[in-house]
Amino acid sequence: MYFTLFVTVLMTAAFLVVAAYAIAKLIGPRSYNPAKGEPYECGIPTYGTSWLPVHIGYYLFAILFLMFDVETVFLYPWAVVVKTFGPLALATVGFFMLVLVFGLAYAWRKGALEWK
């Protein structure tokens, strides 16, 4: 029964994607303007190439932010039910926090939090 449902959902999704693409091609405007292909940055025309290298520090900072953001997402439900699970829940989240602290200490030692 679940296989039939899965196949039906898969076929419906494929049909809807193809139908949306076909309808957009049929009724969409077909004009081409050279300005459409230009890079756009807040209404200001760009000068030079738009493919510039980005400092790796931005990526490292973003990954660290996501790591601690996900930590918050996992800690909130735990805090809601901690009284019902008892000391085992406290030990488990303690280990989880320890791993995160070690990750932060490693990133700090490697200089990922410094803007150079």
Side-chain angles (χ1 to χ4, degrees):
M1 178 174 149
Y2 289 115
F3 180 72
T4 306
L5 178 64
F6 176 70
V7 170
T8 304
V9 168
L10 195 63
M11 287 174 44
T12 304
F15 172 75
L16 288 175
V17 167
V18 170
Y21 184 74
I23 291 171
K25 279 292 189 184
L26 288 174
I27 65 173
R30 291 183 178 84
S31 65
Y32 178 75
N33 186 351
K36 284 184 180 181
E38 292 294 318
Y40 184 78
E41 183 71 32
C42 300
I44 301 170
T46 58
Y47 297 103
T49 179
S50 58
W51 290 98
L52 298 174
V54 179
H55 192 267
I56 191 70
Y58 294 118
Y59 296 114
L60 290 174
F61 201 78
I63 288 172
L64 287 171
F65 171 76
L66 286 176
M67 181 177 79
F68 288 105
D69 196 37
V70 169
E71 169 198 358
T72 305
V73 168
F74 284 128
L75 282 179
Y76 182 75
W78 170 84
V80 170
V81 295
V82 68
K83 287 187 178 180
T84 60
F85 288 122
L88 181 61
L90 188 60
T92 304
V93 86
F95 179 73
F96 178 69
M97 293 293 290
L98 186 67
V99 169
L100 288 173
V101 166
F102 281 146
L104 179 62
Y106 177 78
W108 197 342
R109 183 172 180 158
K110 289 293 185 177
L113 302 177
E114 297 176 10
W115 293 102
K116 295 179 183 175

